[in-house]
Amino acid sequence: QVRLVESGGGLVQAGGSLRLSCSAFGTNLRLNAMDWYRQAPGKERELVASLSSDLRTDYGDSVKGRFTISRGNGKNTVNLQMNSLTPEDTGVYYCKATWAQHEWWGQGTQVTVSS
């Protein structure tokens, strides 16, 4: 069973930065993709950023130019550098990993941006 562990959330002032990390444990597979999603109170979960196994990236429109997704030290580790944060970035950030038709989700980490 693949287990995703997220870290790096917290409270930051508007204009600040945070770095999230997600590591996948319990597998030696090279995952097809590792993504970050977020869910704000009262809103649907949305894609923030995606990183494929061949290092192709994709970003949600609201974070383009501010957030950067990258591979971490391990092959199944992904980082999300978030800059120029605004209160609209507040939410629970979830890591998702996919391999073939399988997908796994992390527990989520809270990001709160104060104005």
Side-chain angles (χ1 to χ4, degrees), residues 32 40 45 57 94 108 110:
N32 295 141
R45 193 172 295 189
T57 59
Y94 297 92
Q110 177 70 44

Side-chain angles (χ1 to χ4, degrees), residues 2 10 20 45 56-57:
V2 176
L20 305 182
R45 193 172 295 189
R56 286 178 292 116
T57 59

Side-chain angles (χ1 to χ4, degrees), residues 1-112:
Q1 179 70 17
V2 176
R3 182 170 63 94
L4 301 181
V5 178
E6 301 132 329
S7 63
L11 173 65
V12 65
Q13 289 188 331
S17 299
L18 282 175
R19 184 180 178 89
L20 305 182
S21 292
C22 174
S23 295
F25 296 96
T27 180
N28 289 320
L29 298 168
R30 180 173 292 277
L31 299 168
N32 295 141
M34 294 187 74
D35 311 322
W36 284 99
Y37 285 74
R38 69 185 180 191
Q39 187 164 21
K43 294 188 177 181
E44 293 186 354
R45 193 172 295 189
E46 63 174 351
L47 175 69
V48 175
S50 177
L51 179 68
S52 68
S53 57
D54 58 357
L55 302 183
R56 286 178 292 116
T57 59
D58 189 24
Y59 295 94
D61 289 340
S62 63
V63 307
K64 286 180 181 177
R66 299 187 299 123
F67 291 11
T68 303
I69 190 169
S70 62
R71 178 174 287 171
N73 288 334
K75 68 177 182 180
N76 286 334
T77 298
V78 66
N79 299 319
L80 183 68
Q81 178 66 40
M82 306 186 295
N83 298 327
S84 302
L85 287 161
T86 74
E88 288 67 39
D89 295 314
T90 294
V92 179
Y93 283 67
Y94 297 92
C95 180
K96 188 183 87 169
T98 57
W99 181 80
Q101 73 275 27
H102 303 285
E103 65 178 41
W104 300 273
W105 290 86
Q107 295 288 336
T109 184
Q110 177 70 44
V111 171
T112 303

